[in-house]
Amino acid sequence: MMKKIFTLVFITSFLISCKCAKTDAVSKLDGTWELNYVADSQTFDVLYSNKKPTIVFSIKESRVSGNNGCNSYTGKLSATGNKIDFTQPMAVTKMMCLNGSQGEQVYMSTLQKITSYDITDDGKTLNFISGDIAMMRFTKK
């Protein structure tokens, strides 16, 4: 009987710790991040000469929002562990951009390709990854 109780307690504590670890990884996303690199053939400064894109994670509300260099966007956050999915439709404003919309198109299309993320140990840099290639890099604001 004691063996069964011990096994039950062990399994329960293991499951609780696994859930906390996953939640903790996602909770590190919480807050505002500013883009400082995007994988593209053009230079970053040409794409975002007026305004750098931002992304804001609200873990409590399971929402993601931000600015893509011109327009604001918002949508549902879909993240588990270090996996993240931006393929769900997002609401995007439709303001006219001064330097055209190339920067926002690059940002939004690259976001759709992201499959995972990594946050540096100091918590200041967020990398968005597609497969095993770092496609975007953000700095914590």
Side-chain angles (χ1 to χ4, degrees):
M1 181 70 173
M2 284 300 275
K3 190 174 183 180
K4 288 181 181 180
I5 292 173
F6 177 75
T7 303
L8 181 62
V9 169
F10 176 76
I11 290 172
T12 303
S13 63
F14 177 75
L15 291 174
I16 290 170
S17 68
C18 288
K19 184 177 181 180
C20 292
K22 287 181 181 178
T23 303
D24 187 47
V26 173
S27 70
K28 291 179 183 180
L29 287 170
D30 210 32
T32 303
W33 301 83
E34 184 177 76
L35 185 72
N36 60 30
Y37 168 80
V38 64
D40 186 72
S41 58
Q42 295 188 32
T43 63
F44 182 82
D45 292 332
V46 171
L47 289 173
Y48 308 107
S49 59
N50 291 326
K51 187 175 188 177
K52 291 182 182 179
T54 58
I55 191 164
V56 180
F57 293 98
S58 176
I59 304 307
K60 186 183 265 189
E61 297 173 8
S62 293
R63 304 289 304 165
V64 61
S65 61
N67 186 286
N68 60 26
C70 177
N71 285 291
S72 298
Y73 63 90
T74 187
K76 184 177 179 340
L77 174 61
S78 177
T80 305
N82 74 329
K83 302 294 181 199
I84 196 161
D85 179 16
F86 293 106
T87 58
Q88 298 296 320
M90 288 195 197
V92 182
T93 60
K94 298 288 184 189
M95 296 188 309
M96 188 174 96
C97 303
L98 293 176
N99 289 347
S101 60
Q102 190 170 9
E104 81 174 308
Q105 289 172 358
V106 168
Y107 181 84
M108 297 306 285
S109 65
T110 305
L111 208 55
Q112 294 273 315
K113 298 173 188 172
I114 302 305
T115 57
S116 63
Y117 68 92
D118 177 59
I119 299 175
T120 56
D121 291 339
D122 64 5
K124 295 180 181 179
T125 304
L126 166 64
N127 292 297
F128 279 167
I129 302 160
S130 177
D132 59 354
I133 300 169
M135 301 290 288
M136 303 172 101
R137 182 178 60 231
F138 295 81
T139 304
K140 184 82 172 194
K141 296 307 288 175

